Amino acid sequence: MPDGQPRYKRILLKLSGEAGVGGDGFGIDPKTIQAVCEDIAQVVHAGVQVCLVVGGGNIFRGAALAESGMERASADYVGMLATVMNALALQASLEKIGVYTRVQSAIPMDSVCEPYIRRRALRHLEKGRVVIFAAGLGAPYFTTDTPAALRATEMGCDALLKGTSVDGVYTADPKKDSTAQRYETLSYQDVLAKDLRVMDASAVSLMRDNHIPIVVFSIRERGNLLRVVKGEGVFTTIA
Ligand code: UDP
């Protein structure tokens, strides 16, 4: 493949609620969304088909609500609805800059967005629309990592890109340990055996079983998404 060309035809981009929408505080930060959407637009204009899964941690995480006393399954439904809010915010911001999108929710809410229908999602991608998958799996006791892995598999993605606030996977938390070193590559087995907590184990094993690489990179640096899609810049590949 010639230099400067995208390595992938179709990707699934997984963003945490904080990295994708929330910035550093609670709720939705318009500047964060705008910057992330401009990066996504660059990749779409480069001809890459983009699936998007966004978390809800900038609003509510089920596990945290459960710790404060709410019944776990109900708390997780609150978390899933938070991902729908983030999906709608990303959709509005992407469409403002001319990127066509569809939101599909695993919990049907017809007056807000489409329900998740695999074949319809595939058709949207073929037409160059960004498909934003919301409400996770529609089932409690998961985070959005596993739905990201499942949708990447169902959509036949060439890679799952995990955009975080750190530029890859490190031997220790680089924010706390200055001697921490970044891995260039890891195997799925390394991630599972060393309990590196890059993604939930169920998501990593789904990617392993379906031979889809996971690329961990920083979404905080502008223009980085396109660089990573071209195989340039700094990231960790799990394959
Ligand atoms: N969630 C769920 N099932 C799913 C996906 C998400 O119950 O299939 C809930 C869960 O409570 C989770 C919350 O939605 O904590 C928000 O997602 P996540 O924690 O992945 O957000 P992120 O950390 O990526 O911002």
Side-chain angles (χ1 to χ4, degrees), residues 56-68:
N58 57 314
I59 304 174
F60 293 117
R61 278 200 188 93
L65 282 179
E67 266 172 36
S68 59

Side-chain angles (χ1 to χ4, degrees), residues 41-163:
Q42 285 185 341
V43 171
V44 172
H45 296 321
V48 179
Q49 296 178 1
V50 179
C51 308
L52 200 54
V53 169
V54 62
N58 57 314
I59 304 174
F60 293 117
R61 278 200 188 93
L65 282 179
E67 266 172 36
S68 59
M70 191 187 281
E71 190 247 329
R72 175 65 194 261
S74 300
D76 279 336
Y77 279 108
V78 174
M80 282 181 256
L81 295 180
T83 73
V84 180
M85 290 192 234
N86 283 341
L88 295 177
L90 283 166
Q91 174 175 50
S93 186
L94 281 167
E95 299 224 322
K96 212 170 166 183
I97 55 171
V99 177
Y100 295 107
T101 67
R102 291 290 186 274
V103 174
Q104 290 203 346
S105 169
I107 299 173
M109 42 183 99
D110 292 352
S111 47
V112 175
C113 58
E114 293 181 5
Y116 173 63
I117 299 173
R118 188 182 73 90
R119 291 170 68 112
R120 190 187 276 183
L122 286 167
R123 191 81 188 105
H124 289 321
L125 290 170
E126 285 160 10
K127 288 184 176 170
R129 297 171 185 147
V130 172
V131 183
I132 309 171
F133 297 107
L137 296 173
Y141 302 101
F142 287 98
T143 75
T144 40
D145 283 348
T146 303
L150 181 65
R151 298 294 184 241
T153 309
E154 289 181 280
M155 293 299 118
C157 291
D158 305 310
L160 190 166
L161 272 62
K162 176 153 173 148

